[in-house]
Each structure stands twice: as C-alpha cells, then as structure tokens.
C-alpha cells in the first residue's frame, strides 16, 4: 500500500502527527481494519558555528566560543588535539586547560533534538605561543671605577648584556631593580652597578599577545689595583 502525506505548518509546530491507516475490503464482505502511525518531526538546527577562532594565547588556559544551537538542538565540544582538557563540553563558552604549544583544535558538534538529522561541526583553534628564551647570566667583566668602592659606574646594561639574556632573539629585555619587577632601572644605558648586585629582567615578545619570561642577572665587580704615592725617607749607611 502506497500513499503520500504532506505535513502542514501546524504539524511541524506540534512536533508530531498521528495518521490512521484504514483497510477497506473491496466487496465489503469483511469488516474494515485500521491502525495508527505516529510521525515525529525532528527540526534541523542551523549549521554549527564558532566565534573568534583562531586566536593566540601565551598561557595554558583559554575559553572557547560557539553559537547556541537552534531548533532545540544540542551542542558538545571535543578536543581534536591530544592533551587539552575541556571543563564543560556542553557549555558554549567553556574553559579549556593544558593547552599545548602550537595549534590546539577543538570541535563543536551540533545534533538535532531527536538525533535524526545529520550532525554538523565547526572547528575552533587556539594557538599557544612559545615563551621567549631567557638566560640567567652572572657577568664578571666589569672593574670598579674608583678603587675600593666596589662600584662600576655608567654601565650600559642594554648594549652589553641584552643579547646574552635573550639569546640574540628579536625580543625586548626590560631591567628591574626588584624581584616583583615593578621598579624599572632608571636608565639602562647609564647605570652604576655594585659588586654582588642582582638585577631582575623580563624578556617579552613584540607581537600580540605579548608573552614573557623572567630571569636574573648577578654582577661581580672586579677590584681595581690600588697604588699609593709614597715619599720615603732613608738614612745613609755611611756618613758623608
């Protein structure tokens, strides 16, 4: 038995419709029989979509962002890249952690309410930037300017040591006088350095986002040879 049925807008809105299949004997000798068929309509959501991908981060955590599924559909995140963790896979803006260096790919999959329609997917990429190189150094190439002071005057910190600290990379070295790195050196091109003095440096990338690594520089100032002018008085051994 073949027949056709075209659902109405009201049927779609209701979510289901009940049809009755009736069997009628052609000679009306036997009684008619019937049965019902319930057709459920699964509304197809809009295609999966994400917002703001790709973007770059320095650290190991970030947030994803997807468009809310339509037509009662549901969405779930999955990690395509091995390693990262997803806090709440059903949350469109869930937090993710343990990001790996390079591209971290996550997939947003949208499924219809009844699961009958084919799912759709959209990928979200977070690029974790490699932290800049920083080398802790202990320079001992300076000599005190005035003997017995232990101070090397007018040292050009940037010119002499930046390339040693950042390995010659195209990064920015900032010098500080405190471990919290809140007090910068007043003039990195003209600094008086004391023996045993420790400076705190921060090496930063120049792009967006700005990623940084911290290091320390510990100076040893070499003593300057001391010479005193003398005017000795001597007594002759033999008179005259």
């Amino acid at each position: 038995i073949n027949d056709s049925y075209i659902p109405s807008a009201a049927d779609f809105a209701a979510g289901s419709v009940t049809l009755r299949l009736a069997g009628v004997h052609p000679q009306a000798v036997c009684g008619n029989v019937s049965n019902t068929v319930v057709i459920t309509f699964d509304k197809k959501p809009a295609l999966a979509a994400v917002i703001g991908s790709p973007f770059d981060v320095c650290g190991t955590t970030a947030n994803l962002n997807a468009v809310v599924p339509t037509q009662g559909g549901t969405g779930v995140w999955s990690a395509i890249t091995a390693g990262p963790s997803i806090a709440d896979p059903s949350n469109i803006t869930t937090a993710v952690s343990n990001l790996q260096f390079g591209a971290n790919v996550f997939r947003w999959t949208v499924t219809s309410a009844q699961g009958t329609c084919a799912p759709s997917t959209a990928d979200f990429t977070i690029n974790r930037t490699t932290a800049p190189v920083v080398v802790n150094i202990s320079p001992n190439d300076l000599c005190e300017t005035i003997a017995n002071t232990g101070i090397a005057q007018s040292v050009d910190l940037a010119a002499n040591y930046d390339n040693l600290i950042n390995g010659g990379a195209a990064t920015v070295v900032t010098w500080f006088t405190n471990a919290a790195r809140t007090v910068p050196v007043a003039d990195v091109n003209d600094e008086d350095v004391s023996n045993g003095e420790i400076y705190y440096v921060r090496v930063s990338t120049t792009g967006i986002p700005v990623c940084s690594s911290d290091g320390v520089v510990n100076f040893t100032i070499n003593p300057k040879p001391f010479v005193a002018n003398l005017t000795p008085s001597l007594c002759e051994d033999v008179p005259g």
Side-chain angles (χ1 to χ4, degrees):
I1 298 174
N2 296 318
D3 203 350
S4 61
Y5 159 72
I6 299 176
S8 66
D11 292 339
F12 277 117
S16 64
V17 65
T18 300
L19 302 179
R20 185 171 67 88
L21 176 64
V24 180
H25 194 279
Q27 285 81 37
V29 176
C30 299
N32 298 336
V33 295
S34 65
N35 203 347
T36 57
V37 176
V38 178
I39 299 176
T40 301
F41 301 106
D42 193 6
K43 298 178 182 179
K44 185 175 183 179
L47 294 177
V50 297
I51 304 171
S53 172
F55 70 89
D56 299 335
V57 298
C58 297
T60 60
T61 61
N63 284 82
L64 305 176
N65 198 358
V67 176
V68 176
T70 62
Q71 302 294 345
T74 58
V76 63
W77 288 104
S78 59
I80 303 303
T81 301
S85 299
I86 302 172
D88 183 358
S90 62
N91 186 341
I92 61 172
T93 58
T94 183
V96 291
S97 59
N98 198 31
L99 296 175
Q100 308 298 297
F101 286 116
N104 295 261
V105 181
F106 302 86
R107 180 161 294 166
W108 178 245
T109 301
V110 172
T111 305
S112 60
Q114 304 295 329
T116 304
C117 303
S120 62
T121 62
D123 288 350
F124 193 104
T125 301
I126 301 174
N127 298 308
R128 182 184 172 193
T129 302
T130 303
V133 172
V134 62
V135 180
N136 297 323
I137 61 174
S138 299
N140 62 353
D141 58 340
L142 298 177
C143 183
E144 59 184 358
T145 304
I146 300 174
N148 296 324
T149 62
I151 299 175
Q153 298 177 349
S154 300
V155 178
D156 193 332
L157 299 175
N160 292 335
Y161 305 109
D162 277 9
N163 282 343
L164 297 177
I165 294 168
N166 67 7
T171 50
V172 177
V173 179
T174 307
W175 293 74
F176 299 90
T177 59
N178 64 328
R181 293 168 176 81
T182 56
V183 182
V185 173
D187 187 350
V188 294
N189 304 117
D190 186 10
E191 172 75 358
D192 293 346
V193 181
S194 300
N195 184 46
E197 189 166 7
I198 297 176
Y199 290 86
Y200 303 88
V201 295
R202 175 161 292 160
V203 178
S204 304
T205 58
T206 57
I208 298 175
V210 176
C211 301
S212 61
S213 300
D214 293 341
V216 295
V217 180
N218 192 342
F219 282 97
T220 297
I221 308 301
N222 296 297
K224 186 176 184 178
F226 177 77
V227 176
N229 295 323
L230 301 176
T231 306
S233 298
L234 299 176
C235 180
E236 59 184 359
D237 293 330
V238 180

